[in-house]
């Protein structure tokens, strides 16, 4: 399974598009890991469960261009840094004409179903 498939999440504040991912923090080093370690992990006693913030910062990105024969459009993958010292890998959904910018603020979203795959979107800057 990928981290996307095993990610635990819950809807925050009742909004369907606002998602909080669950991770673990090493009790010794304080370093966070995503996804949360399962209860069956032999290392689970070393970690405490944490819930990540709803916003993260774009650390890096790459755009994948699938083979044209697949008919799939290009998509962007990112690493996002959360304030809890956790780096998460996932897809970034961009608006038409939008380009990813290192250091920009991202929010975690899901398609209305808390069991759906999560993704990131860029926070719109207030003008």
């Amino acid at each position: 399974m990928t981290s996307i498939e095993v990610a635990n999440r819950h809807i925050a504040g009742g909004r369907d598009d606002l998602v909080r991912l669950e991770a673990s923090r090493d009790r010794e080093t304080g370093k966070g890991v995503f996804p949360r370690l399962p209860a069956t992990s032999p290392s689970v006693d070393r970690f405490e469960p944490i819930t990540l913030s709803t916003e993260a910062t774009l650390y890096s990105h790459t755009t994948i261009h699938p083979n044209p024969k697949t008919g799939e459009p290009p998509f962007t993958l990112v690493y996002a840094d959360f304030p809890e010292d956790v780096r998460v890998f996932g897809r970034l959904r961009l608006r038409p004409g939008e380009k990813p910018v290192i250091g920009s603020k991202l929010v975690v979203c899901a398609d209305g179903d808390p069991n759906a795959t999560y993704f990131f979107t860029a926070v719109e800057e207030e003008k």
Side-chain angles (χ1 to χ4, degrees), residues 47-65:
F47 291 83
E48 63 185 353
I50 59 172
T51 301
L52 301 179
S53 303
T54 57
E55 286 193 7
T57 303
L58 180 60
Y59 172 76
S60 69
H61 64 86
T62 190
T63 300
I64 306 299
H65 296 271

Side-chain angles (χ1 to χ4, degrees), residues 23-26 29-34 47 50 84-87:
S24 297
R25 180 176 313 287
D26 188 314
T29 66
K31 181 71 177 158
V33 295
F34 177 82
F47 291 83
I50 59 172
E84 294 81 10
D85 194 26
V86 177
R87 184 168 287 159

